[in-house]
Amino acid sequence: MFIQTESTPNPATLKFLPGQAVLDVGTADFPTADAAASSPLAQRIFAVNGVEGVFFGVDFVTVTKAESVEWDHIKPSILGAVMEHYQSGQPVMADDHKPVSGHAEHTGEDGEIVGQIKELLDTRVRPAVAQDGGDITFHGFDRGIVYLHMQGACAGCPSSTLTLKMGIENLLRHYIPEVVEVRPVAA
């Protein structure tokens, strides 16, 4: 098994490509080791000292490290953990894991606007940020402000504010006049 790695715009996050499916659909975010209970693969990766976050896409795993450790010191152990997992035959996610779109549900009078926002995120934004090892999902819409949740390499990335303001905000405002601003939210 050959696992490729790619850098991301976030220097604390590295993207691992195992060359096979990680998830059938959707994404899975594990911001802490405690959150990894539903994933044998995430648990193996968190067993590596210095790992602070794990995120799964359809064909990639992104790992966020602690500021106090260097990639040169933990990357071999992470590669080993991913390889061991795939050789073990264990599932990536426990059987009770249900894939989700990642978007928050929205009920109310702005349903049509929210539908347009989610459509633009799914077709224009999410594929681009997946290339960088992350994901951005809809969290809410209130009085012209779109609230988005950043995951994987996007969470804590130095360029994430620029991505939100100059990229996503401009895109949404161009297509949906009701959008006036985009703001990030914590998990």
Side-chain angles (χ1 to χ4, degrees), residues 122-159:
D122 287 342
T123 58
R124 302 277 183 101
V125 177
R126 292 176 86 186
V129 296
Q131 291 287 316
D132 287 337
D135 196 14
I136 296 177
T137 57
F138 174 82
H139 188 78
F141 180 73
D142 184 35
R143 290 174 270 177
I145 301 171
V146 178
Y147 296 92
L148 300 177
H149 180 207
M150 305 180 90
Q151 300 172 305
C154 295
C157 177
S159 61

Side-chain angles (χ1 to χ4, degrees), residues 34 68 179:
D34 292 340
S68 61
V179 171

Side-chain angles (χ1 to χ4, degrees), residues 10 25 27 39 49 53 63 66 81 85 90 99 109-110 121 124 134-135 142 145 177-178 181:
N10 184 347
V25 294
T27 61
S39 172
N49 192 25
V63 178
H85 174 79
Q90 284 187 297
E109 60 192 51
D110 296 324
L121 290 173
R124 302 277 183 101
D135 196 14
D142 184 35
I145 301 171
E178 293 85 355
E181 185 181 356

Side-chain angles (χ1 to χ4, degrees), residues 2-95:
F2 179 71
I3 303 168
Q4 291 181 296
T5 59
E6 293 179 359
S7 60
T8 72
N10 184 347
T13 303
L14 199 58
K15 184 176 176 181
F16 294 80
L17 299 137
Q20 51 191 290
V22 177
L23 295 176
D24 293 330
V25 294
T27 61
D29 190 25
F30 308 99
T32 64
D34 292 340
S38 63
S39 172
L41 175 55
Q43 289 174 1
R44 277 185 206 256
I45 296 169
F46 270 111
V48 175
N49 192 25
V51 170
E52 287 196 337
V54 177
F55 179 80
F56 297 158
V58 174
D59 64 350
F60 66 88
V61 174
T62 56
V63 178
T64 303
K65 69 171 186 68
E67 195 174 308
S68 61
V69 297
E70 295 297 324
W71 279 118
D72 292 345
H73 298 127
I74 66 168
K75 182 178 167 184
S77 298
I78 295 168
L79 287 166
V82 173
M83 191 171 299
E84 275 179 27
H85 174 79
Y86 278 99
Q87 291 173 343
S88 76
Q90 284 187 297
V92 171
M93 300 298 297
D95 291 337

